[in-house]
Amino acid sequence: AGEVSLAAGERVDVVSLVPRATPPTVALRVGAISALSGPGRSDLVPAAPTFGIEAAYAPTRWPRLRLLVGADVAFGRGRASAPEGLSAPYSAQLVFALAAAEYQVALGGLRVGLGPQAGGLWLHRSVNVAASGLAAPEPFSDSGFGLLAGARLGGSWTIGKRLALGAVVDAGA
C-alpha cells in the first residue's frame, strides 16, 4: 500500500491512484432531544424522543469531509412553571432541519466528526392553563421559528454493514 511500481514504458492513470468518493447515503434516525439547562427542559422543550432522516455525501476520502442535510421531529410533554409557584402541563412539537459540514476521523469502526452547522427550528407548545388552578376558558398555544448556527460534534460505531449507533451534540445560538 502506498507504492506504485512501473516497468520502463509502462503508464498508469493517476486518477486510479486517488481514493474515490464514497456514495451518498440516506439514513433513518431515532433518538432523543433535550435542552442542557434545567430551566430549558422544564419550560421550553422537555426531553423527548425524536425521529428523522439524514442524507450525507463524502466527496473525498481525505480530508474526510462529510456534507449532510437532515430533518427531525419530536413530541414531548412537560410542566411549565411560573414565578408565582404555579405550574401547568404542556405538550410540545418540534421540527428541526439542518445542513452541516463535518470533518471525520475513522478509527476502525468508530467515527468521530466535528464541524459547522446551520438550521431552522419550529416549536409549537400548548399549555393547559386550567390544570394550573387558574380560570382559563381554553388551553394556551404559542409557536415560533428560529434560525440556528453553531457547531456539531458527533460519533458513531459501525455495528454491521448497514447499521451504526451514534450520538450528536449540537451547540448553537
Side-chain angles (χ1 to χ4, degrees), residues 61 74 88 109 123 131 159 164-165:
R61 289 203 184 267
L123 172 66
I159 295 174
L165 293 177

Side-chain angles (χ1 to χ4, degrees), residues 36-63:
L36 294 178
S37 70
R41 280 190 307 275
S42 66
D43 294 341
L44 187 60
V45 178
T50 64
F51 307 94
I53 189 166
E54 175 179 288
Y57 175 64
T60 62
R61 289 203 184 267
W62 190 260

Side-chain angles (χ1 to χ4, degrees), residues 110 124 141 170:
L110 176 66
H124 176 79
S141 297
D170 296 314

